[in-house]
Amino acid sequence: MGLEDRESMRILRDAFDLDLGSESMIGDFYTHWFATDLSARDLFPPDMEKQRQVFAQAMCWLCEELIAHHAEEPVAFLAQLGRDHRKYGVTSAHYASLQKALLATLRRALADSWDQRLSEAVNDTVGLAVGVMSGAADAEKGPAFCDGTVLEYLRPTRDIAVIRLKLDRALDYHPGQYVGVQVPQWPRRWRYLSPAIPPDPHGYIEFHIRSVAGGMVSTAIVGEARPGDRWRLSSAHGAMEIDRDAGDVLMVAGSTGLAPLRALIMDLCRYGQNPRVHLFFGAKYPCDLYDLRTLWEIASTNPWLSVTPVSELNFDPPWAANYPDNTPPRGLHVRQTGLLPEVVTQYGNWSDRQILLCGRPEMVQATKTALIAKGAPAERIQHDPLAG
């Protein structure tokens, strides 16, 4: 029965569930893989904790989709993952050794439940994942990554940096997507960042990065990035978009979650007619609304765009005096005070809008929940995958 055996698939899914204690099994898998293929260890950073979590979550999701008999999205996800993993230097030999190590580890971990039906489900699931990823990687003929040089480093506020680069070649992405980024301060630690401008044929690109407490890469970028640094970027992910024929648009951005929405807004400026777009841009302090002047400049010449600034607090901290004044000229909506989910839903339920949310996972989830409670259809709400 293999993938059709829902009972066996649930056993396999639970084996990857971190909430059910899968840490030991995941750790055993990587230990086995690295012991049998020494070259595989060089693909990963020294600290494997985050990698183990991501792998477990991805396998859980894959099993859940297969249990629900969803095939199209998992296959597309695995194919994109395979294409993206080329940036690490993963080869077909690595996929082969991974498959052997994972099958051996699962057989040991599930020994008490192991039978012919579970064996078929495990082999089919692992074979599907490895086969699609390896096949997609082999079929992709374009470069695995693109390098670029930092041209400008701007610090509009204490915790945020704006980085502008010139890539060695133009990177193919759509406004609203995110790309893998590796910086020289942390080799082999890839992070996803959203370009803040549409793709440029000459290779110019811009990122907005917020330093996150405990975030090694974001902290290094904000504190240490300098002109002349060489960054490496990989292929684009994500499907956030605006359908210009599907009605008006609500955007909600928290802090540097503004970046992909800003790219979408800039892309709309290419057209003479657009749906109405209302953007709520939120941050903790008024001074953290770091890009209001750019938004004001766009809105002043594009009447379809409305911008409402929102800050949780109504005052600036003492350190704000050391950074540029982010107060925009008159012309935007009056700044509101409060949490984004509360402020946004005070304006209505937005049920007739395409809705795009970007920012911290907690904000996105709270805003999504508040909008649905007000009557906004869940299927009209777009956001990137939520990661803790």
Side-chain angles (χ1 to χ4, degrees), residues 106-228:
L106 286 168
R107 178 153 193 163
R108 287 196 303 271
L110 300 174
D112 292 343
S113 305
W114 199 262
D115 57 20
Q116 183 62 33
R117 293 173 58 186
L118 182 56
S119 174
E120 291 178 3
V122 169
N123 278 276
D124 287 355
T125 302
V126 175
L128 173 68
V130 172
V132 172
M133 290 178 65
S134 179
D138 289 342
E140 186 65 36
K141 302 306 179 185
F145 51 77
C146 177
D147 292 336
T149 302
V150 174
L151 298 181
E152 287 188 274
Y153 167 88
L154 306 175
R155 195 75 174 268
T157 184
R158 184 182 66 173
D159 299 326
I160 293 173
V162 173
I163 310 291
R164 294 170 179 155
L165 302 97
K166 172 69 165 63
L167 303 179
D168 297 345
R169 61 175 179 82
L171 185 66
D172 184 24
Y173 65 91
H174 298 294
Q177 289 191 301
Y178 52 93
V179 300
V181 175
Q182 179 183 247
V183 299
Q185 290 81 7
W186 282 102
R188 291 190 291 165
R189 288 187 182 273
W190 290 82
R191 292 294 183 269
Y192 288 119
L193 300 176
S194 296
I197 60 173
D200 178 83
H202 304 291
Y204 292 100
I205 195 167
E206 177 177 315
F207 296 106
H208 300 172
I209 301 97
R210 178 174 177 267
S211 178
V212 179
M216 294 178 290
V217 176
S218 65
T219 301
I221 293 174
V222 173
E224 302 173 22
R226 293 294 180 267

Side-chain angles (χ1 to χ4, degrees), residues 226-259:
R226 293 294 180 267
D229 285 355
R230 294 284 288 175
W231 286 23
R232 177 162 289 180
L233 279 61
S234 70
S235 57
H237 299 261
M240 274 206 312
E241 61 180 359
I242 294 174
D243 184 343
R244 295 178 59 250
D245 298 318
D248 294 335
V249 181
L250 167 67
M251 294 181 171
V252 183
S255 187
T256 51
L258 174 67

Side-chain angles (χ1 to χ4, degrees), residues 23-137:
E23 295 92 340
S24 177
M25 190 274 289
I26 301 297
D28 289 345
F29 155 63
Y30 279 106
T31 299
H32 186 161
W33 186 22
F34 296 159
T36 56
D37 185 348
L38 297 179
S39 66
R41 184 64 185 91
D42 293 334
L43 303 174
F44 299 93
D47 179 10
M48 287 290 296
E49 181 177 359
K50 184 65 176 180
Q51 172 63 30
R52 289 192 290 266
Q53 292 175 357
V54 170
F55 176 75
Q57 291 165 355
M59 291 302 296
C60 264
W61 176 83
L62 173 62
C63 291
E64 288 168 356
E65 291 294 295
L66 294 175
I67 290 169
H69 289 172
H70 297 161
E72 185 175 346
E73 188 173 354
V75 169
F77 168 77
L78 290 168
Q80 179 59 50
L81 207 60
R83 290 188 290 268
D84 188 52
H85 271 52
R86 295 183 308 137
K87 67 177 183 269
Y88 299 109
V90 179
T91 66
S92 57
H94 290 130
Y95 282 114
S97 62
L98 178 151
Q99 183 170 6
K100 291 180 181 178
L102 185 55
L103 288 173
T105 303
L106 286 168
R107 178 153 193 163
R108 287 196 303 271
L110 300 174
D112 292 343
S113 305
W114 199 262
D115 57 20
Q116 183 62 33
R117 293 173 58 186
L118 182 56
S119 174
E120 291 178 3
V122 169
N123 278 276
D124 287 355
T125 302
V126 175
L128 173 68
V130 172
V132 172
M133 290 178 65
S134 179

Side-chain angles (χ1 to χ4, degrees), residues 343-364:
V343 173
V344 171
T345 51
Q346 285 173 3
Y347 282 70
N349 65 14
W350 306 95
S351 59
D352 61 336
R353 303 293 181 106
Q354 303 177 68
I355 301 173
L356 285 72
L357 313 177
C358 280
R360 292 184 299 107
E362 298 82 3
M363 183 282 290
V364 170

